[in-house]
Amino acid sequence: MRGLDGKAAIVTGGGHGIGRASAQRLAAEGARVLVVDIDGTAAREVAASLPTKSAACAGDIASEADTQTYMAQALAEFGRIDLYHLNAGISGTLAPLPELSLADFDAVMQVNLRGTFLGLRIAFRQFADQGGGGAICLTASIASLRGSADLLPYQASKHGVLGLLHGAALYGGPLGVRVNAVAPGIVPTDLFAAVATAPGGQDDMVRRAATTPLRRAGTTEEIAGVAAFLLSDDASYITGEVISADGGAACVSTVRPSGGAGSWDATAVDERMYQDRPSAHAQVKEGP
C-alpha cells in the first residue's frame, strides 16, 4: 500500500488480537510501530517480532498520564508520528439492563470512549506540533451500527466512537488529517474471554458468524488489512468513513427468508434473556 513505508505509527491494544495483527501488517508494509498495551509483556513480544525498528510501551489508554507517556516514548524512538490505530478496547458485561452496575458501565466508557478521545486529542496536538497532516484509524464495531439487548455498555461506547470519528474528521480535514474507522463484526479474539461461556460471548462466536452472508467468522488479519488501507495513501480521499468488515452482517434484513426470518425460536431467546421477568412476547405475537 502506498504511503506506509518508513512512516511512524502508534497502535493501541497492540499486544493482542486485532491490534497485534495491525502492528504486524503496518510493519510488513514498512512502518515503524510503537505497540501500546496495558499488558506490557505482550506489547514487548509483539514489538520484538516486527521486521522494522519498533518499540513497546505498557500503558492504560484511559489514563491521561499514560497517554502522554506513550507519546513521549514514540517521539523518542521515531522523532515524529504519522499514523495512529486507536484500537484498544474492552467488552464489559453481558448483564441485562436492570442488573447493570454503574461501575460496569463506567469501566467500559472509560476505556472505549474516554481512551479513544485521549488518543485523538494527543494525536491532533502532535500533528499540530509537526506542522503536517497524517492519518488516524479507530476501531469501531458492528455494535457501533446496530443494537442488541445485551452488551449495552460496549454498544453505547462504540456508538460514541462514531461521534468522535465524525467530529475529528471534520476538524482534521482542513489540516490534512484523515480520520476513519473499521467496524469489525465477529472476529474471535480474547476480547470476550471474560464472558466466554455466556450466549453472545466468546465460545459461540463461530456458530453465530455462520449466519452472515459469508457464513464464517473474520480473522484479525482481515481487519488489520482494512485498517492499513485506511491509514495508507490509497485511501487519500477518504475521511469520516466507517468500513464494515463483518462478513456482510450489517446488510442483512432479518425479516426476509435470506436473512434467516422464522428460522429461530423467539420464545427460547426471550426465556433466556428475561428469565423470571415478565415478557411481552405473547402480546407481541397476538397484537393489541
Side-chain angles (χ1 to χ4, degrees):
M1 295 181 184
R2 294 184 301 116
L4 296 178
D5 188 26
K7 295 293 179 66
I10 291 175
V11 177
T12 66
H16 301 274
I18 291 171
R20 176 176 58 200
S22 177
Q24 292 169 340
R25 178 59 185 269
L26 290 172
E29 296 283 352
R32 299 163 293 163
V33 183
L34 180 74
V35 181
V36 180
D37 202 288
I38 199 166
D39 182 348
T41 299
R44 289 187 289 274
E45 289 175 353
V46 171
S49 73
L50 300 181
T52 56
K53 178 187 176 182
S54 297
C57 182
D60 179 358
I61 65 161
S63 163
E64 186 171 24
D66 285 7
T67 301
Q68 293 168 342
T69 296
Y70 78 61
M71 177 59 76
Q73 182 175 342
L75 292 175
E77 295 282 349
F78 309 135
R80 61 178 288 121
I81 304 298
D82 308 290
L83 312 170
Y84 297 79
H85 185 183
L86 302 179
N87 163 76
I90 60 175
S91 65
T93 176
L94 287 168
L97 178 57
E99 296 175 14
L100 279 172
S101 71
L102 184 59
D104 286 338
F105 186 84
D106 285 348
V108 176
M109 299 299 283
Q110 282 275 82
V111 176
N112 295 359
L113 196 55
R114 172 188 165 113
T116 301
F117 160 72
L118 289 172
L120 280 168
R121 188 179 69 174
I122 204 164
F124 272 99
R125 287 176 174 177
Q126 183 57 33
F127 284 141
D129 289 344
Q130 292 172 185
I136 301 171
C137 178
L138 311 181
T139 296
S141 170
I142 191 173
S144 300
L145 304 168
R146 297 292 184 270
S148 64
D150 55 6
L151 208 63
L152 189 61
Y154 181 82
Q155 181 174 271
S157 71
K158 289 299 186 177
H159 273 65
V161 165
L162 295 194
L164 291 174
L165 164 69
H166 295 147
L170 285 168
Y171 179 80
L175 304 174
V177 177
R178 297 185 301 103
V179 187
N180 293 290
V182 57
I186 294 180
V187 179
T189 69
D190 290 335
L191 180 64
F192 291 92
V195 290
T197 59
Q202 185 182 62
D203 290 355
D204 66 354
M205 278 186 165
V206 172
R207 181 179 63 82
R208 288 185 287 119
T211 65
T212 66
L214 290 185
R215 301 293 194 258
R216 66 173 177 85
T219 68
T220 57
E221 291 78 11
E222 287 173 315
I223 308 304
V226 177
F229 164 69
L230 290 172
L231 291 171
S232 78
D233 288 350
D234 288 333
S236 57
Y237 199 54
I238 301 175
T239 196
E241 276 297 322
V242 185
I243 295 184
S244 293
D246 60 8
C251 74
V252 173
S253 171
T254 60
V255 298
R256 299 299 306 158
S258 61
S263 63
W264 50 279
D265 184 354
T267 302
V269 172
D270 287 353
E271 287 175 351
R272 184 177 66 243
M273 177 69 67
Y274 301 108
Q275 298 181 3
D276 297 332
R277 295 178 176 82
S279 169
H281 177 73
Q283 297 177 29
V284 172
K285 287 196 298 182
E286 296 168 4

